[in-house]
Amino acid sequence: MKFSIERAALLKAVSQAQSVVERRNTIPILANVLIEADGSDVSFRATDLDIEVVDKVAAQVERAGATTVSATLLHEIVRKLPDGALINLTADTAAGRLTVEAGRSNFSLATLPREDFPVMASSEYASNFTAPAPVLRRLFDKSKFAISTEETRYYLNGVYLHIADVEGGKALRCVATDGHRLARIDAEMPEGAAEMPGVIVPRKTVGELRKLLDDDEMEIAVSVSETKVRFATPGITLTSKVIDGTFPDYTRVIPQGNTRKMEVDAADFARAVDRVATVSSERSRAVKLQLDEDRLVLSVNAPDSGAAEEELAVAYGDERLEIGFNAKYLLEIASQVDRENAVFLFNSSGDPTLMREGNDTSAVYVVMPMRV
Amino acid sequence: MKFSIERAALLKAVSQAQSVVERRNTIPILANVLIEADGSDVSFRATDLDIEVVDKVAAQVERAGATTVSATLLHEIVRKLPDGALINLTADTAAGRLTVEAGRSNFSLATLPREDFPVMASSEYASNFTAPAPVLRRLFDKSKFAISTEETRYYLNGVYLHIADVEGGKALRCVATDGHRLARIDAEMPEGAAEMPGVIVPRKTVGELRKLLDDDEMEIAVSVSETKVRFATPGITLTSKVIDGTFPDYTRVIPQGNTRKMEVDAADFARAVDRVATVSSERSRAVKLQLDEDRLVLSVNAPDSGAAEEELAVAYGDERLEIGFNAKYLLEIASQVDRENAVFLFNSSGDPTLMREGNDTSAVYVVMPMRV
């Protein structure tokens, strides 16, 4: 194998590869990236056995072939080479070395045979459709904060991507929850997605997927089976196993009868919550909300360090209400609001509270109260 | 005590205070900042019993008085208040509370009595002089990287500030070393400094002092005794105990007879060292330098991961030489060079090597070789 490639293109591919590779590996080959040169393309493949990412880049291929080399080491080297450099990569299979040359720099890296590299088995996908990058970005960005980190509830360690019935038809929906808060985000159902099986996309896959979604003009090809999900741009293909479990029936958690409505500037609200929470050093900082007509008082009382109180002008016309929440949860849902005011719908101080942006029901958040 | 103060001024003072306060305190009062309002000034005092910093700020004082409150908590609160806010602080000594008000935010913080706050005993200083901020900045910035972190060699855990004999007179000098490398930085001796006792300024003090030295126009008042050192601007006074120990006779470590001279672009050199060191995953990465006429080859050989080699054009006219160094040490001294080429003076592959900027002998670095 022998080819030349521009530094920027190589850096991008190797950077994606090394982020999939796990830092600590008991199986040496899993630390490596599989480099395959053929025709006028070079592909870079990395896997942790659950996720596989393949990045195909144009290069001047002089001799076809393949080898595997440490992903982090190659990434570090390419990162440190000067911008604009042309890099030559040559595999010496007999010696088990990959030579990386650029200008007066010369590296000779240990390789492992391509045959040892575990390539993910190809699958039949039940459903194939395309979706614009900004649509997928919104679905996952607005829901991922609610993913559970409790390993025992493995079926909550991801985002539940599925097709849901909504008023007037069907939607492509992402739901995540950790039992304390929940995010439910809807987008228009893409053509051909109606039969998609619901799948739980693992947290790490959501993170890797995010890197494919920066380009607003990009159409992402999505393929879903019962066990795998695949996202592809013309250059990059990300394949991931999905979590083998059943996502709980979240619809019962979303309150339907909450009528006490408060509307507030989301940024002002978030800043005020952040400030009053400062006085409490506990991990689960409880913030008390006291609602009167058009007036919200946020307060925290920490016996050791002190007390804090802040008043906000809000739109509220219902009867007096006191309710407590974990400050972190309030901050996180408030920071999801990017266009309009945050609208909170309360029932009583013991019931889950609902939040959305203005009158938009395509992004809905639920947060459980805390006793204060 | 009652006063009003602009957020930016308060943030600056409290930020300096909380950085002196240790994160984990067994003595509760040491987590606090002592706030004293009197006349038209408010002073903020913090200490860890080794360092004391006092920041005096103009404020609208309505009622004189003093109290102490958690430095980190006050800092967090002020940081989160909106820019430009006017902040009112009122101490209620009977209730043991400090009220912090700004706009519609209201905080009531637990206090401890001012009487419990340990104020550092005042001292007689043997020597008092002033030095421009940029002069002190250079002395400490260029030497501090070489401070030892070995607690057993506590007398190396700081920068040795003293007066030294140099060609044509005396100099104000900073020296730091960890036994593997050494930095010796000279500046013109300020008037009145001739009798200054040599003192070892602890690492943390060097860090805190750095914050006083950003303003190029500032003259810093320096006072030194056998046990303490003080640095003061019109607003801020930093007092610190010095390390109670004897700094070793460093002059014997600085080679006098090194004649084999190599001149190299410092930035190119540092980047090349950084690149070749990538292939070694060991903590002490050894880089081999091979010198021939006007040609330097840097190389690293790591049996597990591979090898790296890089060639640099240098000015060198002596006989062939091979010498090894710790890559980190080479990188650190090379990055001290900011104006000219780095000049290395070698003797043999087993002897300490000297580095300086061009022909300037006011900043000299020594680094021990490694067998490669």
Side-chain angles (χ1 to χ4, degrees), chain B residues 98-168:
Chain B
L98 175 74
T99 306
V100 180
E101 280 172 300
R104 286 176 164 191
S105 307
N106 190 305
F107 301 86
S108 164
L109 309 179
T111 61
L112 287 171
R114 65 172 299 185
E115 292 74 23
D116 297 356
F117 194 88
V119 172
M120 204 176 259
S122 58
S123 296
E124 286 289 308
Y125 290 101
S127 175
N128 295 284
F129 58 90
T130 64
V135 168
L136 292 176
R137 197 166 68 206
R138 174 174 170 276
L139 283 171
F140 287 99
D141 276 2
K142 281 182 175 281
S143 56
K144 65 185 175 196
F145 75 92
I147 296 175
S148 171
T149 51
E150 270 182 62
E151 285 182 28
T152 49
R153 304 174 83 183
Y154 60 92
Y155 48 89
L156 296 183
N157 293 170
V159 169
Y160 182 41
L161 174 70
H162 62 295
I163 303 297
D165 292 318
V166 290
E167 246 186 73

Side-chain angles (χ1 to χ4, degrees), chain A residues 146-153 156-157 177-178 181 203:
Chain A
I147 297 174
S148 171
T149 52
E150 270 182 62
E151 285 182 28
T152 49
R153 304 174 83 182
L156 297 183
N157 294 170
T177 182
D178 65 357
R181 60 261 171 79
R203 173 193 295 278

Side-chain angles (χ1 to χ4, degrees), chain A residues 1-2 10 17 22-23 38 43 60 65 83 96-97 101 119 167 204 215 285 296 308 350 355:
Chain A
M1 182 188 81
K2 187 170 183 179
L10 181 57
E22 288 290 336
R23 285 293 148 268
D38 193 20
S43 79
Q60 293 165 261
D83 199 19
R97 295 276 152 172
E101 281 171 300
V119 172
E167 246 187 73
K204 183 174 171 184
D215 182 352
R285 301 170 173 195
L296 168 67
M355 196 211 76

Side-chain angles (χ1 to χ4, degrees), chain B residues 10-309:
Chain B
L10 182 58
L11 183 60
K12 191 158 173 285
V14 180
S15 152
Q16 184 107 31
Q18 66 88 32
S19 104
V20 168
V21 161
E22 288 289 336
R23 285 295 148 267
R24 293 172 191 287
N25 266 306
T26 44
I27 310 169
I29 191 87
L30 292 184
N32 281 14
V33 53
L34 169 59
I35 309 176
E36 294 172 292
D38 193 20
S40 59
D41 287 327
V42 179
S43 77
F44 297 84
R45 185 184 301 257
T47 185
D48 65 0
L49 297 181
D50 288 327
I51 306 178
E52 182 190 73
V53 65
V54 186
D55 202 337
K56 199 169 244 186
V57 188
Q60 292 163 262
V61 179
E62 205 170 298
R63 197 165 69 238
T67 192
T68 83
V69 71
S70 162
T72 43
L73 183 50
L74 184 59
H75 177 251
E76 274 298 281
I77 288 172
V78 176
R79 197 174 61 77
K80 289 174 180 175
L81 286 170
D83 200 19
L86 186 73
I87 304 176
N88 299 303
L89 291 100
T90 315
D92 181 341
T93 319
R97 294 277 152 173
L98 175 74
T99 306
V100 180
E101 280 172 300
R104 286 176 164 191
S105 307
N106 190 305
F107 301 86
S108 164
L109 309 179
T111 61
L112 287 171
R114 65 172 299 185
E115 292 74 23
D116 297 356
F117 194 88
V119 172
M120 204 176 259
S122 58
S123 296
E124 286 289 308
Y125 290 101
S127 175
N128 295 284
F129 58 90
T130 64
V135 168
L136 292 176
R137 197 166 68 206
R138 174 174 170 276
L139 283 171
F140 287 99
D141 276 2
K142 281 182 175 281
S143 56
K144 65 185 175 196
F145 75 92
I147 296 175
S148 171
T149 51
E150 270 182 62
E151 285 182 28
T152 49
R153 304 174 83 183
Y154 60 92
Y155 48 89
L156 296 183
N157 293 170
V159 169
Y160 182 41
L161 174 70
H162 62 295
I163 303 297
D165 292 318
V166 290
E167 246 186 73
K170 284 176 181 297
L172 183 63
R173 175 175 284 179
C174 277
V175 175
T177 182
D178 65 357
H180 305 290
R181 60 261 172 78
L182 177 147
R184 188 195 78 191
I185 318 296
D186 289 346
E188 207 180 308
M189 185 178 72
E191 212 175 309
E195 302 306 317
M196 183 189 93
V199 287
I200 308 170
V201 183
R203 173 195 296 277
K204 183 174 172 184
T205 307
V206 173
E208 292 303 321
L209 168 62
R210 188 60 184 79
K211 297 173 194 160
L212 275 61
L213 305 179
D214 273 329
D215 181 353
D216 275 358
E217 305 302 318
M218 189 68 84
E219 285 288 320
I220 310 292
V222 185
S223 306
V224 185
S225 76
E226 297 281 350
T227 55
K228 274 187 200 156
V229 62
R230 167 172 288 184
F231 301 92
T233 68
I236 304 174
T237 304
L238 172 71
T239 311
S240 169
K241 293 186 187 162
V242 297
I243 293 175
D244 186 11
T246 306
F247 200 81
D249 179 11
Y250 62 86
T251 54
R252 294 180 310 163
V253 180
I254 298 171
Q256 301 299 328
N258 285 13
T259 51
R260 298 158 95 175
K261 180 176 163 185
M262 172 187 87
E263 192 162 350
V264 62
D265 181 291
D268 283 353
F269 178 76
R271 279 190 293 262
V273 169
D274 190 27
R275 275 195 293 265
V276 295
T278 314
V279 295
S280 168
S281 55
E282 289 163 54
R283 273 196 70 222
S284 60
R285 301 171 174 196
V287 173
K288 184 161 80 177
L289 278 64
Q290 285 170 276
L291 274 162
D292 277 312
E293 195 175 335
D294 289 348
R295 178 166 169 273
L296 168 66
V297 176
L298 296 154
S299 61
V300 170
N301 214 321
D304 285 349
S305 48
E309 198 176 279

Side-chain angles (χ1 to χ4, degrees), chain A residues 124-145:
Chain A
E124 287 288 309
Y125 290 101
S127 175
N128 296 284
F129 58 90
T130 64
V135 168
L136 292 176
R137 197 166 68 207
R138 173 174 170 277
L139 283 170
F140 287 99
D141 276 2
K142 282 182 175 280
S143 57
K144 66 184 175 196
F145 75 92

Side-chain angles (χ1 to χ4, degrees), chain A residues 15-145:
Chain A
S15 153
Q16 184 107 33
Q18 66 89 32
S19 105
V20 168
V21 161
E22 288 290 336
R23 285 293 148 268
R24 292 170 193 286
N25 265 307
T26 44
I27 310 169
I29 191 86
L30 292 184
N32 282 14
V33 52
L34 170 59
I35 309 176
E36 294 171 293
D38 193 20
S40 59
D41 286 328
V42 178
S43 79
F44 297 84
R45 185 184 302 258
T47 184
D48 66 359
L49 297 181
D50 289 327
I51 305 178
E52 182 190 72
V53 65
V54 186
D55 203 338
K56 199 170 246 188
V57 187
Q60 293 165 261
V61 179
E62 207 170 296
R63 198 166 68 236
T67 191
T68 82
V69 70
S70 162
T72 43
L73 183 50
L74 184 58
H75 177 250
E76 274 298 282
I77 289 171
V78 176
R79 197 174 61 77
K80 290 175 181 175
L81 285 171
D83 199 19
L86 186 73
I87 303 176
N88 299 303
L89 292 100
T90 315
D92 180 341
T93 319
R97 295 276 152 172
L98 175 73
T99 306
V100 180
E101 281 171 300
R104 288 175 163 191
S105 308
N106 190 305
F107 301 85
S108 166
L109 309 179
T111 62
L112 288 171
R114 66 172 299 183
E115 292 74 25
D116 296 358
F117 194 89
V119 172
M120 203 175 259
S122 59
S123 296
E124 287 288 309
Y125 290 101
S127 175
N128 296 284
F129 58 90
T130 64
V135 168
L136 292 176
R137 197 166 68 207
R138 173 174 170 277
L139 283 170
F140 287 99
D141 276 2
K142 282 182 175 280
S143 57
K144 66 184 175 196
F145 75 92

Side-chain angles (χ1 to χ4, degrees), chain A residues 241-256:
Chain A
K241 292 186 186 162
V242 297
I243 293 175
D244 185 12
T246 307
F247 201 81
D249 179 11
Y250 62 86
T251 53
R252 294 179 311 163
V253 180
I254 298 171
Q256 302 298 329

